[in-house]
Amino acid sequence: MPPVMAVDLGSATISAAAAQPSTAPDPAVLTVDGQPTYSPATCVDNEGVPHPSTWSGTAVDHTPRPDLLLDLPPQIIGDVPLSGATLVGVAFGPALAAAADHFGAEPTVLIGVHPHWWTAGKIADYERALGRLTPHTALISWPEAIAAQTVPPAAASHVTVLDFGASTASITVVSFSRRGVPQVRFTHTDRAGGSRGVDRVIVADTAADARIDLSGKDQHWWEEAASQVAASRHRLCTETSSWPATIDIEFPAPLGGRQLRGPRLRQLTTTHMQKVVARLITHEDVQAAWSEDRTSTTTQPLVEVTGGFGQDPSVLSAVKAEAGRADLVPEPASAAAFGAVLAHAPAWVPANQKPSRFRFGRSRTAVPAERGRS
């Protein structure tokens, strides 16, 4: 049978996973140009044809975040009216191609992961985007997808998952039935808790150190300045495990080119993210779950970290400082897509296939370099 594929549409990246329909699916995280994530941006050529961000041709216009156009009237992009559903569908093209390359067949079932705060109209528009690509679609909210990839703990009844993306930071408390089936007990999202918040802090600190007044700069200037920090952060996360001694960043005027100290950047990131984590974990539902699991032998909650920004060493340090511990899951940026496949692949198992008990999530068995998957 063709594979079942899930796509997680974020504000800065798209991630995807796929598996053959089975009662015990083994999802593969899909890669595009060798990376587990790619940009959701879409480009439009001089004939008005939209292309994904991986397109190598000459673009006359582009949309960095097509998800923002969902549930809106068609927008004029490259002199052509294009809907958000069309652009989102185009953005998923590289993921579909990656699935076809990996499994030898293009998926006929596509599962869309969406933020839990999206409105009904936006979700419906998202579903239309998926429906234009495959004959069978399903939708799952981000917390449910995260719960599906979470393994029942051996010595606790809850797992707290902290996810850090470009725009947001989220917390989800996952509990389990006696059969080990996960369910979302509590979820909350800090809409300004992602890496973009840290990038702005770094811009402001750089300006203060240079004694340059930014009070008159508009939103566009701040976005451009923060994007320069983000580009450096992304490059460093793929090349090294931490900030180097110094880093050169070319800011827009009047800041211009600056050489920033790596230890200072790490300190700023850790301090800011500790505040974000503290806001997330102080909710009474989180503290209640942690209290239930606290015994004479278990004093710290079981905390897992997901999301692309979660790979930053400073973020992990911040979580450990506030929660006492933190385990980074394998392929953290693709965790939601991985979980969505786990939750939905059994639904498309052939009727003549003998069912077996479905095991959710990833194994905690240690393997070299990372934990394995079940």
Side-chain angles (χ1 to χ4, degrees), residues 46 51 186 242 273:
N46 57 8
H51 301 272
F186 169 78
S242 62
M273 293 311 298

Side-chain angles (χ1 to χ4, degrees), residues 44 72 89 173 176 229 239 355 367:
V44 177
L72 293 178
V173 178
F176 301 86
V229 180
E239 296 176 356
V367 296

Side-chain angles (χ1 to χ4, degrees), residues 57-338:
T58 301
V60 297
D61 204 349
H62 78 288
T63 302
R65 291 192 59 185
D67 63 303
L68 295 178
L69 302 181
L70 292 173
D71 197 28
L72 293 178
Q75 305 292 303
I76 303 299
I77 302 171
D79 297 328
V80 177
L82 294 169
S83 70
T86 295
L87 295 174
V88 166
V90 168
F92 288 155
L96 287 167
D101 288 343
H102 187 90
F103 291 94
E106 190 165 292
T108 56
V109 177
L110 187 57
I111 304 150
V113 181
H114 64 84
H116 58 91
W117 64 82
W118 271 9
T119 63
K122 199 161 189 174
I123 292 174
D125 212 19
Y126 188 38
E127 188 172 28
R128 280 193 289 273
L130 301 176
R132 294 174 181 180
L133 302 173
T134 60
H136 303 290
T137 63
L139 295 176
I140 185 171
S141 70
W142 180 87
E144 292 171 338
I146 284 294
Q149 66 89 52
T150 306
V151 180
S157 60
H158 303 91
V159 175
T160 301
V161 182
L162 287 163
D163 181 90
F164 301 95
S167 296
T168 62
S170 299
I171 187 169
T172 300
V173 178
V174 182
S175 60
F176 301 86
S177 70
R178 291 183 178 180
R179 292 175 56 85
V181 177
Q183 61 182 11
V184 177
R185 168 166 171 168
F186 169 78
T187 189
H188 174 70
T189 295
D190 183 336
R191 302 282 288 274
S195 62
R196 290 191 176 106
V198 174
D199 297 337
R200 284 176 170 253
V201 167
I202 292 174
V203 173
D205 182 78
T206 303
D209 188 59
R211 298 183 179 180
I212 294 176
D213 183 15
L214 301 179
S215 58
K217 298 303 175 184
D218 59 16
Q219 181 73 8
H220 176 76
W221 187 95
W222 278 94
E223 289 177 357
E224 174 61 25
S227 70
Q228 297 303 315
V229 180
S232 298
R233 182 192 304 282
H234 176 74
R235 184 171 62 253
L236 291 168
C237 282
T238 57
E239 296 176 356
T240 66
S241 60
S242 62
W243 292 97
T246 60
I247 177 174
D248 295 319
I249 299 181
E250 189 66 35
F251 293 105
L255 271 184
R258 298 283 167 178
Q259 187 174 74
L260 310 184
R261 294 184 297 112
R264 175 60 176 167
L265 300 183
R266 179 160 188 165
Q267 178 191 11
L268 289 170
T269 302
T270 302
T271 301
H272 178 81
M273 293 311 298
Q274 277 187 243
K275 296 176 183 177
V276 172
V277 174
R279 292 197 299 266
L280 292 173
I281 67 176
T282 52
H283 192 278
E284 59 182 7
D285 285 349
V286 177
Q287 293 300 312
W290 288 9
S291 295
E292 290 173 19
D293 284 341
R294 190 171 292 119
T295 66
S296 59
T297 58
T298 304
T299 59
Q300 293 181 336
L302 183 56
V303 178
E304 293 188 341
V305 175
T306 63
F309 189 35
Q311 299 173 85
D312 189 301
S314 301
V315 175
L316 287 173
S317 296
V319 176
K320 291 176 181 178
E322 294 298 315
R325 63 169 298 174
D327 296 319
L328 185 68
V329 305
E331 296 104 7
S334 305
F338 190 100

Side-chain angles (χ1 to χ4, degrees), residues 344-368:
H344 282 270
W348 280 277
V349 173
N352 60 356
Q353 184 168 331
K354 184 178 179 181
S356 62
R357 182 179 175 188
F358 176 57
R359 292 182 61 196
F360 282 94
R362 305 164 186 249
S363 168
R364 297 190 191 283
T365 303
V367 296

